[in-house]
Amino acid sequence: MSKKLVYASVTAKECKGNVDRMIRKFIKKVKKERIIEQVRDRRFHKKPSVKKREKRMRAERARKREEAKRQRRLKKQMRNYKK
């Protein structure tokens, strides 16, 4: 398994020196890269069957989320079309 390099750093320049903004931006980057989730997942051993099941469930949730997003977009288009 290859390790992926993660760049979750925030500079003062990109946040104009605002410390609160830097912290929020760093937290967002860490969540997007799923660093905390990886640490939690690797903390204890999981059987391969459990990993597969969880992966399948995550994929199903993502598909449902995308479908709901698509339905909302179509509903919004239809509302705008009727006007």
Side-chain angles (χ1 to χ4, degrees), residues 54-77:
E54 288 177 353
K55 184 177 178 182
R56 205 168 38 243
M57 288 169 62
R58 271 197 310 271
E60 182 65 29
R61 277 197 303 271
R63 277 194 296 274
K64 284 182 181 177
R65 202 175 307 122
E66 286 298 318
E67 179 62 25
K69 199 183 287 186
R70 191 177 70 77
Q71 291 293 331
R72 283 193 303 270
R73 192 170 48 241
L74 287 173
K75 194 180 280 188
K76 187 176 180 180
Q77 286 176 351

Side-chain angles (χ1 to χ4, degrees), residues 1-7 33 35 38-39 42:
M1 182 161 101
S2 65
K3 292 191 177 190
K4 181 180 135 185
L5 292 176
V6 178
Y7 299 103
E33 294 292 332
I35 294 171
Q38 286 179 2
V39 170
R42 294 177 184 179

Side-chain angles (χ1 to χ4, degrees), residues 4-15:
K4 181 180 135 185
L5 292 176
V6 178
Y7 299 103
S9 63
V10 180
T11 62
K13 188 176 181 181
E14 66 184 284
C15 294

